[in-house]
Amino acid sequence: MNKNKIISCLCLLLSPAVMAMQPMDDQSLSVATGQDGLNINLSTPKIEFKQLAVIDPDGWDTKSVAAAEYRNRGALVLAQSPNSTLSNLSITAKSSGAVTNLNVNAAIDVDKGTGANGAFANIGLSFGNLDELDVSKFSVYTAGSNAVSDFGVTSAGVYTQRSIFGASTATLTTGVKELLRLSDGLNIKFLASNKPKMNIQLGAAPQSYMVRLGGAIDSICGTGTGCNMMLVSSYATESDPTTAPVGASFKFQMKASNSSTGFRLDNFHAGIESDGLVFGNYVESCSTTPATCITSDSVDLRLNEIKFGNDMTTIPAVGSSNYRFNGLQNSPIGNIGFTNASVTDLKMKVSGL
């Protein structure tokens, strides 16, 4: 068989697959039933990245805000803590306490809908044997104009991604400020009998919301006294992120009050409205029809070892600029928290992005 015939045969064999990957327009989607659908399985032991940013391109870009208000690009960035010895920020999956592969199954299909409801795509996500997620230590930063990226600043029509760090994680670039540091990372443990899941609908969304969550959380930072968090104000040496951070610190811990049911996510949902991103477990009719209101499962929440200011290993002389608390070493002021607490008709909205 000559080369031309071989190529012709390959084209005939591959043509159905090629056609299946073509984008569908609204008319084609409206007549598709998606009965068989598509299943995608992904298995990986760890997810790693340098930085993750949510960028607001125009600040307070609204007529109701004074012209003097900030209107340039800004961002919240998730990345390694300053001077970190880690190469990347990582998210690791665990099963029964041991590191395992994160198995993600995506069941995807489309439906032409009925009447005014219209066509929609449905993506059901499940996470196999996932019991826990371990997030390595990290910080949350605020970043000013062009500190994370720019478009058309250095070259017209060109998008340029930038790092919030200088030559290493020991230095922060101009316009970047550390806001929150999690020096122990974060651990999220799910209920073994009700593993996490998520259903996403694009288009008409007959489930009423773009994203619906499922599963149940057993605890967040549930071991010991919790995960250490600090709202960073400065550093032991002012503006030097290589030195110890200074601010308000505490150890965060959340546990489901009922260990049998956990903190169930089944009624929680998220989506996009005309004025921003929304998240919660609310129903729109709650304010007029109390019987429709949704109350979450109860949780026990604690902020342990609350501390303000710097740890002074050497008590400074009376009258020095670092003198604190009449010569006493800075110590935690105590713990606060609540038990069996729940929330009804929770709705959170993020606007302005």
Side-chain angles (χ1 to χ4, degrees):
M1 186 178 290
N2 61 39
K3 292 182 179 179
N4 289 334
K5 289 183 179 179
I6 293 174
I7 292 173
S8 298
C9 290
L10 288 173
C11 288
L12 288 172
L13 288 171
L14 294 175
S15 58
V18 173
M19 291 298 294
M21 296 300 291
Q22 298 300 312
M24 298 180 69
D25 55 30
D26 290 340
Q27 183 177 358
S28 300
L29 185 59
S30 68
V31 297
T33 58
Q35 308 238 337
D36 293 330
L38 175 68
N39 286 293
I40 300 175
N41 290 283
L42 171 67
S43 181
T44 178
K46 183 184 294 186
I47 299 172
E48 294 183 309
F49 56 90
K50 292 288 186 183
Q51 64 183 41
L52 179 67
V54 178
I55 302 173
D56 182 351
D58 52 18
W60 290 95
D61 193 14
T62 173
K63 294 180 180 179
S64 62
V65 178
E69 295 291 349
Y70 185 84
R71 294 179 181 274
N72 293 321
R73 181 186 287 107
L76 282 176
V77 184
L78 188 69
Q80 306 165 59
S81 297
N83 215 23
S84 172
T85 57
L86 301 175
S87 57
N88 291 304
L89 195 157
S90 65
I91 302 174
T92 305
K94 288 185 176 181
S95 178
S96 301
V99 176
T100 185
N101 278 353
L102 175 59
N103 297 314
V104 182
N105 177 266
I108 308 170
D109 60 64
V110 295
D111 196 291
K112 65 180 181 180
T114 56
N117 290 330
F120 66 93
N122 192 89
I123 306 171
L125 298 176
S126 57
F127 299 91
N129 61 343
L130 177 65
D131 287 338
E132 294 181 55
L133 282 178
D134 265 346
V135 185
S136 63
K137 60 183 69 176
F138 67 92
S139 290
V140 178
Y141 302 84
T142 57
S145 178
N146 303 322
V148 174
S149 64
D150 66 52
F151 182 78
V153 176
T154 55
S155 181
V158 176
Y159 172 85
T160 303
Q161 179 181 339
R162 295 177 174 175
S163 171
I164 63 172
F165 301 108
S168 69
T169 57
T171 58
L172 300 176
T173 58
T174 302
V176 177
K177 174 69 174 65
E178 186 180 9
L179 178 65
L180 176 67
R181 181 180 295 197
L182 282 77
S183 56
D184 296 328
L186 199 66
N187 171 270
I188 305 173
K189 186 175 181 180
F190 299 98
L191 201 67
S193 59
N194 193 2
K195 297 182 184 297
K197 48 188 175 290
M198 180 186 303
N199 198 75
I200 304 170
Q201 289 188 344
L202 305 175
Q207 68 179 8
S208 300
Y209 302 98
M210 178 182 291
V211 179
R212 277 192 176 274
L213 303 177
I217 295 175
D218 175 81
S219 62
I220 299 177
C221 298
T223 59
T225 55
C227 299
N228 185 274
M229 301 182 182
M230 174 179 281
L231 296 169
V232 180
S233 173
S234 183
Y235 303 96
T237 300
E238 186 74 21
S239 301
D240 183 357
T242 64
T243 59
V246 179
S249 65
F250 52 88
K251 291 187 176 181
F252 173 85
Q253 186 173 70
M254 189 198 88
K255 294 183 178 181
S257 301
N258 187 329
S259 59
S260 298
T261 62
F263 181 79
R264 288 169 290 192
L265 302 173
D266 295 47
N267 289 317
F268 282 82
H269 49 263
I272 301 175
E273 295 185 354
S274 59
D275 55 349
L277 305 175
V278 294
F279 171 79
N281 65 340
Y282 62 93
V283 291
E284 297 295 349
S285 59
C286 176
S287 59
T288 56
T289 313
T292 64
C293 296
I294 300 174
T295 300
S296 72
D297 288 322
S298 297
V299 295
D300 301 338
L301 179 64
R302 295 182 178 88
L303 302 181
N304 298 318
E305 300 179 25
I306 300 171
K307 183 186 297 184
F308 296 94
N310 193 11
D311 281 326
M312 295 176 290
T313 54
T314 301
I315 299 175
V318 175
S320 71
S321 59
N322 290 324
Y323 186 69
R324 296 289 187 273
F325 305 120
N326 197 29
L328 297 177
Q329 171 75 343
N330 191 15
S331 300
I333 63 174
N335 309 324
I336 61 173
F338 50 76
T339 59
N340 292 310
S342 62
V343 62
T344 299
D345 198 42
L346 172 67
K347 183 175 184 179
M348 296 186 291
K349 180 176 291 185
V350 180
S351 302
L353 298 178

